[in-house]
Amino acid sequence: MTKDVIALTPKMPDLPTLLAGLYAGGPDLGVNTLADGAVVQLCAPDGRPLVSVETPVLVQVPGETARLLGSEGAAHQGPVWWTEARASTAVAEAGRLAGSFAGRLVTVLGGTVWPPGAATTDVVPLTTDVSAVPVPATTAPAVDVLTPSTAVVIQDRPLVAMTSWLSDALRAAAEDERAVQIVTPPGSRLTLATRTALRGLPNRWVVQDPEDGYYDGLSGAVLHWKGGTFAPVRDAHGAARLAGAFRARADAPGRQLLLTLRTRHPADADLELGRALETVCTRLAGGPPAGWSTAEPVNLPWSTRQVTDLARSRAPRPTWLIAVGRPDRPLIATVRVLRTPAGVEEDIALALGYGDDESPPLDAVEDLAAELDAGHGLVTLLTAVRAGRRDLTVPAHAEPVPTPVTFTVGHAEAGRTGRPRATETARGPAPVRLGPGHRPALHYRLGEGGARVPGR
């Protein structure tokens, strides 16, 4: 499996320190750069990459290292520099080189290395005959196997985050019309951002399994390698078989409140993006998001101005970003900003995590919907609840289906689709009218999600 090693340091790794770390293999190895210097590589004498190091990132969001690295990252409560090294799977010494690189950084700058025990300061001689190793089909550091149809990314992390490595691999694969398939050992989980980015075949989460070989961690289908991609094993009738390891478990340690909303705004100079998300987080979690970024770790303190500036700089191309909450209230959201003929739209998917002894604030949803409609260009809002992990990570087994609680159609959308159709009640609940009587939003109460909503 690929060896990813992360150095967490209180000081920024400068170029001399990075170079000192990269010479962990001795003076015979070379140094190369990719992506306009954003990735530095330690290379074999023939130029073959052994270890790729991404530009250090200053993580300023409290609790972010603990969210992604567990107890090993919990010691870093203040700002910390995150420097990630990714070792090639093709050369045996590459993983030890990555560990020596990270160990040298923390020896000079202080800090810790993840995973524990990976750090050394040893010189790691290259003993593999690299001339006998096939030349990789790609120069992308995140991709381990490349075929005409698929880019395979091998990860041995307990929690697979939507790192910039993985984000770049997904973007490049989409441009080349390839699938991205992430291969992990049993027991690995995905962050919600990674889960969202992998949505839709032919992208897959491929989980190694002692019993079935491989299975899809999101659908449960048993997989095999066929024709340069992981595909379902089908029986004589063409049906896929469900892996035993995927079958639903009844031990979900909490509940999740899930919101999916779309907003639409006029494309004018005064537009400030992110305010709808900020409102949702404030009403349901007691404050705005703690931070945002275009990849994980989420490293920037929350700023609607910076979010708006980024989206404007990329327009008319879409912008995708991640936001997280405070350490005491698990919250993660993904936002896609898109320029359309109707204006500027934000597609927001947000999840909040609760323990078994906590209740999601379902009684706040109706007022929240009214506020979003009145001031933030609400198009639609769907709220649901399900049993699931409080930390919002995605396990490689079946999870309960979300139970819809409410659905709101904003007043502009209700007017566009036609009021008689939107208020049809013969086959469903009558809507609550939110806002002015002549142009209300329509709020449908669909269920209680296992908890009583006041006034119902």
Side-chain angles (χ1 to χ4, degrees):
M1 298 293 266
T2 297
K3 189 67 172 179
D4 296 336
V5 183
I6 300 166
L8 302 171
T9 60
K11 300 177 182 178
M12 178 181 177
D14 56 16
L15 184 57
T17 306
L18 289 171
L19 289 174
L22 286 166
Y23 280 110
D28 293 336
L29 301 185
V31 176
N32 192 16
T33 60
L34 292 175
D36 297 324
V39 176
V40 181
Q41 292 182 322
L42 176 63
C43 301
D46 68 348
R48 193 170 316 221
L50 302 174
V51 176
S52 300
V53 180
E54 201 164 43
T55 301
V57 173
L58 178 60
V59 180
Q60 305 173 67
V61 178
E64 183 65 358
T65 55
R67 181 178 76 89
L68 298 181
L69 303 179
S71 59
E72 291 85 1
H76 301 275
Q77 297 303 320
V80 64
W81 288 93
W82 176 298
T83 306
E84 186 158 343
R86 182 171 172 81
S88 168
T89 55
V91 180
E93 294 85 5
R96 291 168 53 214
L97 284 167
S100 183
F101 163 80
R104 290 170 179 232
L105 255 62
V106 301
T107 298
V108 175
L109 303 173
T112 59
V113 171
W114 181 93
T120 73
T121 56
D122 298 340
V123 174
V124 182
L126 182 61
T127 59
T128 298
D129 180 8
V130 294
S131 65
V133 178
V135 176
T138 175
T139 59
V143 177
D144 296 282
V145 177
L146 189 70
T147 74
S149 65
T150 305
V152 177
V153 178
I154 303 174
Q155 291 276 271
D156 64 352
R157 298 157 89 130
L159 182 62
V160 180
M162 180 46 57
T163 62
S164 55
W165 304 104
L166 188 52
S167 178
D168 288 343
L170 281 160
R171 182 167 51 251
E175 291 173 355
D176 295 338
E177 298 184 343
R178 285 188 174 97
V180 170
Q181 298 184 340
I182 301 175
V183 181
T184 71
S188 290
R189 291 168 284 121
L190 307 183
T191 66
L192 201 58
T194 305
R195 167 67 179 89
T196 301
L198 279 182
R199 179 175 294 133
L201 296 175
N203 294 339
R204 290 189 187 276
W205 175 19
V206 181
V207 182
Q208 294 179 323
D209 181 60
E211 180 180 345
D212 291 304
Y214 299 96
Y215 71 94
D216 189 312
L218 300 178
S219 71
V222 175
L223 304 173
H224 62 165
W225 182 255
K226 182 179 181 181
T229 193
F230 283 99
V233 176
R234 301 193 181 277
D235 61 21
H237 303 287
R241 180 166 61 86
L242 192 68
F246 183 79
R247 300 184 187 281
R249 303 178 185 181
D251 57 352
R255 301 176 72 199
Q256 298 172 358
L257 176 60
L258 310 174
L259 291 89
T260 305
L261 64 147
R262 171 172 289 186
T263 65
R264 183 180 297 133
H265 319 274
D268 58 43
D270 296 327
L271 174 60
E272 188 170 357
L273 296 170
R275 293 181 61 239
L277 175 61
E278 187 173 86
T279 297
V280 173
C281 294
T282 299
R283 296 294 175 263
L284 300 182
W292 75 283
S293 184
T294 57
E296 294 174 302
V298 173
N299 64 310
L300 299 171
W302 176 251
S303 168
T304 55
R305 179 185 60 79
Q306 291 181 352
V307 168
T308 304
D309 289 346
L310 176 67
R312 282 195 174 128
S313 71
R314 293 185 172 184
R317 295 172 298 160
T319 294
W320 188 83
L321 59 93
I322 307 165
V324 296
R326 306 184 311 269
D328 62 331
R329 169 54 59 214
L331 179 155
I332 187 166
T334 60
V335 182
R336 187 171 185 263
V337 181
L338 186 65
R339 182 72 167 88
T340 71
V344 179
E345 297 187 354
E346 295 175 285
D347 286 329
I348 303 170
L350 180 142
L352 297 101
Y354 301 88
D356 288 331
D357 58 345
E358 300 174 300
S359 296
L362 299 179
D363 56 343
V365 171
E366 188 168 310
D367 289 342
L368 170 63
E371 184 174 358
L372 291 171
D373 181 65
H376 300 288
L378 179 67
V379 178
T380 57
L381 167 64
L382 175 65
T383 304
V385 174
R386 75 169 176 192
R389 295 179 62 98
R390 184 180 187 272
D391 63 11
L392 302 176
T393 61
V394 181
H397 61 74
E399 294 187 291
V401 176
T403 300
V405 177
T406 67
F407 179 69
T408 308
V409 181
H411 73 270
E413 186 70 6
R416 188 184 70 83
T417 58
R419 190 75 51 181
R421 177 178 298 179
T423 57
E424 176 66 44
T425 61
R427 297 184 180 180
V432 176
R433 296 171 179 261
L434 306 177
H438 62 290
R439 291 190 69 200
L442 304 177
H443 181 72
Y444 295 85
R445 297 166 173 171
L446 306 176
E448 298 185 356
R452 184 178 180 274
V453 180
R456 297 184 55 193

